[in-house]
Amino acid sequence: MEIKTVNKAENIRDVIRYLQKFKNAVVVIYLDDNTIQSPLYSSHISDIALLHQAGLKVVLIPGARNRIDEVLSLSQINWTYHDNTRVTEPNAMPLIKMAAFDVSNTIMTSLAANNITAVIGNWVRSRAKGIINGFDYGTAGEIEKLQIDSIKTVLEHGFIPIFPCIGWNAVGHPYNISSMLLAQQVAINLHADKLFYVIQDGRINQQNFEIPSTFALSQSGDIPAMNLEEVDEFLQNNSNANNTIKSVLLSAKEACRQGVTRVHLVDGNIDGVLPCEIFSGLGQGTMIYTNNYGKIREMQQSDIPSVLAVMRPFIKSGKLLPRSEQQLEQNIDEFIVYELDGGIHACAALKKYSDGQAEIHAVAVDESFSHMGVGPKLIKKLIAKAKSQNAKSIFIMTTQAADWFEKLGFKYDLIDSIPPERKQIWSPKRNSKVYRLQS
């Protein structure tokens, strides 16, 4: 019961921290049309309303492919796809425009039911995609410019802007543009803090993809985060993967490359996926990032309560020796921590002895991050630190994690091998075993 209460408290602290971090942040959300037509649509809209009410500046770009297909089919107008772009004759454009605005109106009406005012605008200047390698793309358009000042004014007045997948040229001629690309460009031009792609069946996991063995996975087997190099590696391993996922990853990579802080791919089949992804460290989707996703640094005075909270379950289970706040203060220079978005989720320490040996101790990783490879990163960091200090040898002492340390290159050693001052506090009752790093 106590552990559950502690976990609940940590979750609440996460939410409060993220609320502070993302207040007034610009969040661009692409909703694919399958999500809009799903049973969870109303729940997602309710969550978007809550995000807006929490102080986030939300921008919405709805997908309209299914609705456009429906309207064109009813009018018996044919179309094709070339390079994932819809190609039609000019007579289809009025119907495409009607269908796109119909979807945007659906979103606006749903937000109104949640007491949120939204605005549908013609903020997109576009041009014809034209003829490429001899192929005429007809009514398909490219984004030329966005009216960013107008969009910012809408946001500053507390409204949610909604973008239909239509752009207009200088003389008012409309073109059909990609909603996914539009979301990317809006996020880039607004310098958005986050760009979300809410896609049906949008999970990237072991069940559906070939995942490189070096990738960190969540407990459910999903990839919680990828940097740009990992995106390239993933795409190389999954050249025959779902075209939608590939398109989103390529779009996410370009958005990050052009300054969007983070891009998230989340599954529209999961209720509450948007607030869970925003207000927790790991979330429930896959985040694409350039840098600054978690960092290892030296422990600071203000970290001590959080470090003690991370240690507490390990102390309770007997994996770690009890430590007090005063002990951590006295040995603060020994500790490093893993920080993600202002929260501490792991710790470890290095103690140097008078005979030149060094001990790695107090290794604790938040259970939610145990599959993220955080622990090995901490150990690697401390090994490098010990070597930089010319440590004669590096050892650890453990009661329940021998297998884990063996995988990191440590081998069993005799208790008499440790420094005398360390042996003085060794207890036969606890009976910790010694493992030493093999050079």
Side-chain angles (χ1 to χ4, degrees):
M1 181 66 70
E2 180 185 345
I3 291 177
K4 288 182 179 180
T5 302
V6 169
N7 289 340
K8 187 183 294 184
E10 285 303 312
N11 290 338
I12 293 170
R13 290 176 186 133
D14 271 350
V15 171
I16 294 171
R17 187 171 65 252
Y18 280 107
L19 278 170
Q20 293 171 335
K21 180 178 177 66
F22 292 119
K23 188 173 180 63
N24 296 316
V26 176
V27 178
V28 177
I29 302 174
Y30 165 81
L31 291 172
D32 82 333
D33 39 3
N34 290 321
T35 296
I36 294 170
Q37 295 173 341
S38 77
L40 287 176
Y41 165 71
S42 295
S43 180
H44 291 312
I45 289 295
S46 177
D47 287 339
I48 289 169
L50 288 173
L51 296 179
H52 175 77
Q53 291 163 343
L56 284 72
K57 295 180 178 178
V58 178
V59 181
L60 291 178
I61 293 89
R65 175 173 287 194
N66 290 347
R67 180 58 178 151
I68 293 172
D69 286 351
E70 180 184 2
V71 169
L72 293 182
S73 295
L74 286 172
S75 299
Q76 297 184 334
I77 293 178
N78 296 322
W79 71 91
T80 59
Y81 283 99
H82 187 80
D83 289 338
N84 205 32
T85 300
R86 186 191 299 273
V87 180
T88 65
E89 295 296 325
N91 65 328
M93 198 59 226
L95 294 172
I96 292 174
K97 186 170 68 172
M98 179 188 74
F101 273 83
D102 185 29
V103 173
S104 292
N105 273 305
T106 296
I107 301 288
M108 185 171 67
T109 301
S110 299
L111 287 170
N114 285 270
N115 299 312
I116 302 297
T117 302
V119 178
I120 302 170
N122 58 343
W123 300 295
V124 184
R125 177 69 63 83
S126 66
R127 56 178 173 80
K129 195 174 181 74
I131 300 171
I132 301 174
N133 296 324
F135 185 86
D136 188 349
Y137 280 86
T139 57
E142 297 278 9
I143 299 169
E144 193 170 71
K145 184 180 179 182
L146 297 172
Q147 297 180 22
I148 294 301
D149 289 343
S150 298
I151 301 166
K152 287 181 177 178
T153 298
V154 171
L155 290 170
E156 287 165 4
H157 281 82
F159 304 142
I160 293 181
I162 302 174
F163 285 73
C165 58
I166 304 295
W168 287 263
N169 69 7
V171 296
H173 189 87
Y175 294 102
N176 185 196
I177 56 180
S178 162
S179 298
M180 192 177 293
L181 182 60
L182 178 57
Q184 178 210 76
Q185 289 299 307
V186 170
I188 290 170
N189 282 273
L190 285 175
H191 306 290
D193 298 275
K194 287 184 177 290
L195 166 59
F196 281 87
Y197 287 104
V198 185
I199 309 287
Q200 288 284 289
D201 301 316
R203 292 177 62 187
I204 302 181
N205 54 27
Q206 290 175 313
Q207 287 72 38
N208 300 318
F209 298 96
E210 293 292 330
I211 299 177
S213 59
T214 56
F215 281 35
L217 300 177
S218 68
Q219 291 178 325
S220 58
D222 297 342
I223 300 178
M226 286 189 277
N227 61 35
L228 302 192
E229 292 76 18
E230 288 171 332
V231 170
D232 288 337
E233 186 179 355
F234 176 86
L235 290 172
Q236 288 172 3
N237 278 34
N238 295 273
S239 57
N240 298 319
N242 180 300
N243 282 331
T244 300
I245 298 296
K246 284 173 24 180
S247 296
V248 169
L249 289 176
L250 288 171
S251 182
K253 179 184 172 183
E254 183 61 19
C256 286
R257 198 183 66 80
Q258 294 197 44
V260 178
T261 306
R262 296 176 184 178
V263 182
H264 302 257
L265 170 58
V266 297
D267 188 354
N269 287 318
I270 300 175
D271 191 12
V273 69
L274 282 167
C276 284
E277 185 71 7
I278 291 178
F279 297 128
S280 63
L282 290 180
Q284 287 192 323
T286 297
M287 184 180 76
I288 312 303
Y289 67 100
T290 50
N291 50 37
N292 295 327
Y293 177 67
K295 61 182 177 181
I296 295 173
R297 59 168 175 80
E298 294 181 352
M299 185 171 74
Q300 301 169 0
Q301 184 80 23
S302 59
D303 298 326
I304 290 177
S306 297
V307 169
L308 287 171
V310 171
M311 287 182 173
R312 197 168 291 119
F314 297 89
I315 293 170
K316 188 175 180 64
S317 65
K319 294 177 182 178
L320 285 184
L321 287 169
R323 287 170 174 83
S324 67
E325 185 172 341
Q326 184 179 12
Q327 287 174 314
L328 292 188
E329 287 177 354
Q330 291 172 347
N331 299 290
I332 193 168
D333 293 339
E334 296 180 4
F335 279 82
I336 59 173
V337 296
Y338 175 79
E339 177 192 345
L340 175 64
D341 290 334
I344 303 301
H345 298 283
C347 65
L350 179 74
K351 183 176 181 62
K352 188 83 178 289
Y353 291 94
S354 58
D355 67 352
Q357 292 192 60
E359 179 187 10
I360 294 175
H361 65 104
V363 181
V365 180
D366 182 340
E367 183 181 0
S368 300
F369 289 73
S370 61
H371 296 269
M372 288 287 294
V374 175
K377 290 177 182 177
L378 292 171
I379 300 299
K380 183 178 179 180
K381 183 84 170 178
L382 291 180
I383 290 172
K385 181 179 179 181
K387 289 181 177 179
S388 72
Q389 296 175 354
N390 299 314
K392 183 174 71 175
S393 181
I394 304 169
F395 71 95
I396 62 94
M397 301 193 72
T398 184
T399 58
Q400 300 176 42
D403 292 337
W404 188 78
F405 282 108
E406 283 185 337
K407 286 199 299 185
L408 298 177
F410 290 80
K411 299 295 183 184
Y412 174 76
D413 203 353
L414 299 175
I415 194 68
D416 289 338
S417 68
I418 63 176
E421 57 261 53
R422 179 63 179 90
K423 192 174 180 182
Q424 285 180 358
I425 61 173
W426 177 80
S427 165
K429 182 178 180 181
R430 180 172 167 79
N431 197 27
S432 297
K433 303 299 182 184
V434 180
Y435 285 78
R436 193 170 300 278
L437 182 67
Q438 301 300 296
S439 55

